[in-house]
Structures are given as structure tokens and as C-alpha cells.
Amino acid sequence: MKSIIGRKVGMTEVFAADGTMYPVTVIEVLPNVVVDKRTVEKNGYEALVVGYEDKAERRANSAEKGLYKKAGVSPKEGLYELKGDEIYGKNVGETLDCSLFATGEVVDLLGYHKGHGYTGVIKRYHNHIGPKGHGSGYHRGIGSVANNGRDNNRIIPGKHMSGHWRPSHVTVQNVTIVESNPEKGYILVKGGVPGAKKSIVMLRSPVRHQFKKPVVKEVLDLTKKGE
């Protein structure tokens, strides 16, 4: 088992040597720097804590500065836990890159999808619509926010109100890697990836692997050939 963190860039298309076109998602994979290690003795499980993407030191708080100083690395935008026997041998300060996965390999993709966006209570919680006749001007409101004289200075937690509906973590299983390019730091995977552009995604070994033939044996580099 192995895993790595990347950032979704967007979708494009590539062509195989036989002319077949494949829709792919471009995932930027910057070096994953090992900042800390979780151990069975201390934490009850084994994992690597990696930092992704550098950030200015002035934007790091005191606790973060102490953690990064102890690891001997520069401050990172985000910290993530990666599990896997193949990567646990890495020491603090070492890095993981996209050479961890090869072209034609099958992986699982974990992301945070956008959900339904900002939604009202009629659609989000199936509230009743207001009367449509007799001059009523109240149709799709949230209803009364009164709380029967209790805690009049606030809204009681749990009140059904409008907001971002149903964003959640989602896993897409058994996705084929069309191309892995360690030199330029990107991975192309077949099809779509959950989440908005520039969102963080995780690639890991499949938990329910299904055999798939390599999608593309050779991807044409149109930029070099000038086509």
C-alpha cells in the first residue's frame, strides 16, 4: 500500500499512438515532505505526516514553526497523513514524488466534492413552501426563528437554515493512471476527479483492486513534435 497528495488542476485530453483520444484529469504532484511519523507505541497506528506546498514563514503560527523547525523543513500550506507499508520507511525530511506511481497503475482517488452549492431550506431540508395566493409574499423563507422565550439572544443550534448543502468526502475506486511524469511533477488519470479545481486529492493503492489493462501504452507528446 502507498499513497500521495496532489492538487487537481483541471481536465484535458491526450492521444495514444493509435489515435485514440482519452479524457484525463491533470493532478499536480509537488514533493510531499515528511514532517512527522505516527508510531504504534505513541499513536496506536503507523502513518506519515507530510506537508504539501510551501508557504511564507510569516503565515505560520508559533506551533507550526516549532513543528517545522524540529523536522528541519520549511513551513507548508497543509499537513496530511499518508498510510502504506511501501512509504513508511521514509524518514523525517525526505520527500515523496509522483514516481511512486507508474503509468498503467490502478489507484483510488479521494477528494472533497463541491456538493449542491448554496441551497435554500425548501430543497435542503424539504420544508413546506408558503402560500402562493391571497397576496402572500412569503414563499421560500426559513420560517420562524422564535424559540419560545428561551435564549432570545441567539439562534438555537440545529435550526434548519439555508447554506452549503452536502459537501462531503468521496472516493473513486480503480482509476487508471494514463501518465506519470516525475520530471514535470504531474499525473494524468483517466476520467474525472471529485472536487473543484485547485482542490487537494489523495492517490492511494486500491483497496478493492480490479484488474485493468493499461489504457495507454504510449502518449503522444504533441508539444515536442509541433503538431
Side-chain angles (χ1 to χ4, degrees):
M1 297 291 292
K2 53 188 176 181
S3 53
I4 199 169
I5 294 294
R7 186 181 295 278
K8 176 181 175 180
V9 177
M11 292 196 70
T12 183
E13 56 191 23
V14 296
F15 293 88
D18 60 357
T20 306
M21 186 273 288
Y22 296 96
V24 296
T25 300
V26 182
I27 300 177
E28 178 191 45
V29 183
L30 300 178
N32 289 208
V33 183
V34 180
V35 178
D36 197 4
K37 298 183 74 170
R38 302 285 189 251
T39 60
V40 176
E41 295 77 13
K42 185 177 179 180
N43 308 104
Y45 63 96
E46 292 183 345
L48 294 180
V49 180
V50 300
Y52 187 79
E53 200 170 11
D54 293 333
K55 74 175 178 181
E57 188 172 352
R58 59 182 174 79
R59 296 182 55 233
N61 58 38
S62 299
E64 291 175 339
K65 289 179 181 178
L67 176 65
Y68 295 125
K69 183 178 180 180
K70 181 181 178 181
V73 299
S74 59
K76 304 298 177 183
E77 285 287 349
L79 292 176
Y80 308 90
E81 285 191 359
L82 300 179
K83 296 182 179 180
D85 298 335
E86 296 184 38
I87 62 174
Y88 190 70
K90 291 284 186 178
N91 297 318
V92 174
E94 296 183 349
T95 60
L96 303 170
D97 58 22
C98 55
S99 62
L100 193 65
F101 292 96
T103 300
E105 227 175 313
V106 177
V107 296
D108 288 347
L109 284 170
L110 289 76
Y112 196 77
H113 74 76
K114 294 184 287 186
H116 294 255
Y118 189 88
T119 312
V121 292
I122 305 300
K123 183 175 181 180
R124 190 181 185 191
Y125 294 109
H126 310 292
N127 285 13
H128 286 290
I129 252 177
K132 295 184 178 180
H134 302 286
S136 172
Y138 196 84
H139 304 299
R140 303 183 67 87
I142 63 172
S144 173
V145 294
N147 47 33
N148 200 22
R150 300 168 297 151
D151 295 328
N152 286 328
N153 61 333
R154 69 190 184 114
I155 302 296
I156 295 178
K159 169 65 180 173
H160 288 182
M161 305 183 81
S162 58
H164 197 169
W165 183 33
R166 207 182 285 170
S168 59
H169 291 280
V170 62
T171 301
V172 180
Q173 295 182 330
N174 299 320
V175 180
T176 305
I177 294 178
V178 175
E179 182 184 1
S180 177
N181 193 322
E183 296 178 359
K184 296 183 179 180
Y186 69 83
I187 290 178
L188 303 182
V189 296
K190 184 182 178 184
V193 172
K197 291 181 180 179
K198 299 185 180 181
S199 61
I200 294 294
V201 296
M202 178 190 293
L203 289 80
R204 73 175 185 198
S205 299
V207 293
R208 292 191 298 179
H209 178 68
Q210 298 176 4
F211 175 76
K212 288 188 176 182
K213 296 181 179 179
V215 177
V216 181
K217 294 183 179 179
E218 181 183 358
V219 177
L220 294 180
D221 192 343
L222 301 181
T223 57
K224 291 184 178 180
K225 296 185 178 181
E227 299 180 5

